[in-house]
Amino acid sequence: MTKNKRFPFLPVFTIISAIIFSSIYVMRDNPNTSSFISADIYLFFAFFASITYAAFQISMAGIKKGGENAIIFIMGGIATKLLLTMVFALIYVYSHKVGKMQFISNFFILYFIYSAFEIYSLLYNLRAQKIQ
């Protein structure tokens, strides 16, 4: 019988966040790339890191419960993340003067990186649950 092996979310999440943070830091200090980075990129980074962590924890609570609850929790986590992201973007756009391309690239690159990582982690854990 195989042992249920879960994805080591927190260590990998910390490493990915450190890589993203370091990349942002290096790009902001480089005169060739600093024009591509928003002044509030660290706000975006903190928002996406925290919302991804929360959504993953909601989804994992459902996976641990199992059954039909798992799907409800996973969809709830994804929907919550999407809605909070849209609300955050609207509030930010209406309260700050932003460059369109700079905001879109900074915001959605972080959104897609963290979403892809969250989906990969959930799929890994769902496969582990299926094997059991």
Side-chain angles (χ1 to χ4, degrees):
M1 183 149 170
T2 59
K3 186 177 180 182
N4 186 7
K5 197 171 189 182
R6 297 232 182 253
F7 185 78
F9 179 79
L10 194 56
V12 177
F13 178 75
T14 304
I15 291 168
I16 287 177
S17 294
I19 291 169
I20 293 170
F21 185 85
S22 301
S23 300
I24 292 169
Y25 184 78
V26 168
M27 289 179 71
R28 287 222 39 199
D29 287 343
N30 186 341
N32 295 329
T33 58
S34 63
S35 63
F36 298 114
I37 304 296
S38 172
D40 293 327
I41 189 73
Y42 294 116
L43 175 66
F44 300 160
F45 171 77
F47 172 76
F48 284 118
S50 61
I51 198 73
T52 299
Y53 182 77
F56 181 80
Q57 294 304 321
I58 291 170
S59 299
M60 280 308 296
I63 290 173
K64 287 178 184 175
K65 281 189 173 187
E68 291 183 23
N69 288 336
I71 301 301
I72 293 169
F73 276 79
I74 291 170
M75 294 304 291
I78 292 170
T80 301
K81 181 179 178 181
L82 180 64
L83 291 173
L84 288 174
T85 300
M86 289 191 309
V87 168
F88 181 83
L90 285 172
I91 291 171
Y92 184 82
V93 167
Y94 284 117
S95 65
H96 293 79
K97 184 177 180 185
V98 295
K100 291 177 187 176
M101 290 308 295
Q102 188 183 50
F103 171 75
I104 289 171
S105 65
N106 289 191
F107 193 81
F108 287 108
I109 286 173
L110 287 173
Y111 176 79
F112 289 130
I113 289 171
Y114 277 113
S115 293
F117 174 68
E118 179 187 4
I119 290 168
Y120 176 79
S121 302
L122 288 172
L123 288 174
Y124 186 95
N125 288 325
L126 286 170
R127 269 186 260 130
Q129 184 184 32
K130 185 178 179 183
I131 290 173
Q132 225 180 11

